């Protein structure tokens, strides 16, 4: 415990320990209440405002009335609940895949699936763990990193979104059971991956492909099915992972793929078989959210209009905005940790809720803001945020 106390003390002394603010009203809304004061919210992943959507809330309430609050246990032991199966069918259809398995969190989906795919369940069939190798993007989410660590497979890290480096490493490694893992949208870098190129590489080197599409689902594609919908390739990705705590406005994770794979994962994913299912009340709300997303073309248009306007405004002020692509998660680069912390403090003083993203979420010395734009942000909200950033940037000498 003394080592822990010393670590925490050092973190606090250097001003690196994050602030944990308690919201008391208007959760996930553009204006939230913290300790009786109103703040502009620019760090909620509630892209499409589904968290407060009336139809979604009513569906959740109806599910509580019918099914109660909790799922009662693991699905292997306590049985399936029909509303969860209905949600899985909706998610599979939305992503253009055959079947789906849900989890209480996205983290549980990622830490469970990698081990299940690389460390075979029964008698090392079809491959031994020592015959398995994972190729993971260096910027992949921490839940993917943890999932890789749980597996006994060989781990190979390739340079971020570098297909040349990935191919070279695929050539060098001759192990038969290969899995490539990347994210569909890198929200801290403003990028949508060129998924079709990854599909081609996976086919060429007989590797399986897994895509974590947490920030793409609901936001990208004609029907909101994420990168699989945007590029019409869901049936060519072996594992589509995502979560419902962002554009869906709820919580929970999922894995989509072909029917045989999902049937295997139902008995091989320890994070599923050793845990309770997603609550039925959440499943009911998320079924309705999926329907709203499928019909949400105008919502997505508004969302991207807001993102484009704010990104152009911040760029025009002189800030360094990361990313080659247009997504509603904007990455404003700051750099050193102390500068990022001071920037965030000024925003807070200006009644803006948007904490700095720092190590270990990003490399040391490369702090940035992940500015999440929502469909119900008004132009006035966006302008107020830009003005607060302008004040912070001038104070810290980042802009003229």
């Amino acid at each position: 415990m003394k080592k822990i106390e010393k670590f925490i003390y050092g973190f606090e002394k250097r001003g690196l320990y994050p602030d944990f603010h308690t919201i008391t009203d208007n959760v996930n809304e553009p204006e939230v209440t913290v300790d009786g004061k109103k703040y502009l919210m620019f760090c909620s992943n509630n892209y499409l405002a589904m968290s407060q959507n009336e139809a979604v809330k009513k569906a959740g309430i109806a599910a509580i009335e019918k099914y109660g609050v909790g799922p009662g246990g693991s699905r292997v032991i306590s049985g399936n609940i029909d509303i969860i199966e209905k949600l899985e069918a909706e998610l599979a259809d939305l992503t253009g895949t055959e079947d789906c398995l849900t989890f209480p969190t996205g983290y549980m989906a990622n830490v469970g699936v990698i081990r299940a795919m690389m460390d075979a369940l029964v008698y090392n069939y079809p491959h031994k763990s020592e015959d398995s190798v994972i190729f993971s993007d260096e910027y992949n989410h921490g839940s993917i990193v943890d999932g890789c660590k749980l597996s006994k497979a060989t781990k190979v890290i390739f340079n971020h979104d570098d297909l040349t480096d990935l191919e070279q490493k695929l050539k060098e490694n001759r192990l038969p059971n290969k899995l490539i893992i990347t994210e569909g949208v890198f929200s801290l870098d403003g990028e949508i991956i060129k998924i079709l190129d990854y599909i081609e590489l996976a086919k060429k080197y007989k590797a399986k492909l897994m895509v974590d599409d947490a920030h793409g689902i609901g936001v990208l594609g004609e029907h909101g099915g994420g990168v699989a919908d945007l590029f019409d390739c869901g049936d060519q990705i072996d594992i589509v992972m995502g979560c419902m705590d962002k554009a869906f406005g709820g919580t929970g994770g999922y894995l989509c793929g072909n029917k045989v794979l999902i049937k295997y994962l139902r008995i091989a994913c320890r994070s599923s078989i050793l845990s309770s299912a997603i609550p039925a009340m959440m499943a009911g709300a998320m079924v309705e959210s999926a329907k709203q997303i499928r019909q949400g073309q105008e919502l997505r248009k508004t969302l991207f209009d807001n993102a484009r306007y704010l990104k152009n405004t911040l760029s025009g002020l002189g800030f360094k905005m990361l990313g080659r692509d247009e997504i509603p998660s904007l990455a404003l680069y700051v750099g050193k940790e102390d500068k990022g912390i001071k920037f965030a403090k000024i925003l807070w003083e200006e009644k803006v809720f948007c904490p700095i993203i720092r190590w270990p979420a990003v490399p040391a010395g490369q702090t940035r803001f992940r500015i999440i734009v929502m469909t119900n942000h008004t132009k006035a909200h966006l302008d107020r945020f830009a003005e607060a950033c302008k004040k912070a940037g001038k104070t810290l000498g980042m802009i003229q």
Side-chain angles (χ1 to χ4, degrees), residues 135-345:
F135 300 87
S136 181
D137 188 295
E138 65 174 324
Y139 286 2
N140 274 342
H141 191 268
S143 59
I144 296 173
V145 175
D146 287 355
C148 290
K149 287 180 179 178
L150 286 174
S151 171
K152 297 176 183 177
T154 299
K155 289 86 174 174
V156 176
I157 306 301
F158 63 90
N159 296 335
H160 172 58
D161 199 23
D162 187 337
L163 289 157
T164 301
D165 185 53
L166 173 57
E167 181 163 20
Q168 182 61 38
K169 286 170 177 172
L170 285 164
K171 282 180 183 178
E172 293 170 353
N173 202 303
R174 297 179 180 274
L175 295 178
N177 188 27
K178 300 181 178 69
L179 175 65
I180 300 167
I181 310 177
T182 186
E183 296 185 31
V185 174
F186 284 91
S187 63
L188 290 170
D189 301 278
E191 297 170 353
I192 303 170
I193 66 160
K194 301 178 179 67
I195 187 63
L196 297 179
D197 293 336
Y198 283 86
I199 290 170
E200 287 304 310
L201 269 187
K203 288 179 180 177
K204 183 177 179 180
Y205 292 95
K206 296 181 172 58
K208 292 180 283 293
L209 176 62
M210 173 178 164
V211 177
D212 177 333
D213 203 27
H215 283 274
I217 187 69
V219 172
L220 300 179
E222 176 65 20
H223 305 292
V227 292
D229 183 13
L230 183 65
F231 295 103
D232 191 23
C233 61
D235 59 345
Q236 300 179 68
I237 304 171
D238 295 285
I239 307 163
V240 178
M241 177 272 173
C243 48
M244 294 167 281
D245 57 354
K246 298 176 176 61
F248 272 70
T251 190
Y254 63 84
L255 300 169
C256 289
N258 66 48
K259 287 186 177 297
V260 173
L261 175 65
I262 299 303
K263 191 172 185 178
Y264 168 73
L265 293 178
R266 290 187 193 282
I267 59 169
C269 264
R270 290 167 64 86
S271 54
S272 174
I273 61 175
L274 300 180
S275 177
S276 292
I278 185 173
M281 61 178 181
M282 181 58 65
M286 295 300 93
V287 167
E288 179 60 34
S289 187
K291 293 177 181 177
Q292 297 283 327
I293 284 170
R294 188 182 298 279
Q295 302 165 4
Q297 288 84 0
E298 285 302 313
L299 284 175
R300 283 185 285 279
K301 181 181 182 303
T302 300
L303 178 67
F304 277 85
D305 285 346
N306 283 349
R308 191 180 307 112
Y309 175 81
L310 184 55
K311 186 174 184 178
N312 289 341
T313 301
L314 293 171
S315 295
L317 290 171
F319 288 109
K320 180 180 179 181
M321 305 299 293
L322 302 179
R324 60 175 183 252
D325 297 308
E326 189 176 277
I327 57 175
S329 172
L330 310 181
L332 189 160
Y333 185 83
V334 177
K336 297 293 184 180
E337 276 76 10
D338 58 343
K339 184 180 285 188
I341 292 168
K342 290 175 183 176
F343 197 123
K345 184 177 180 181

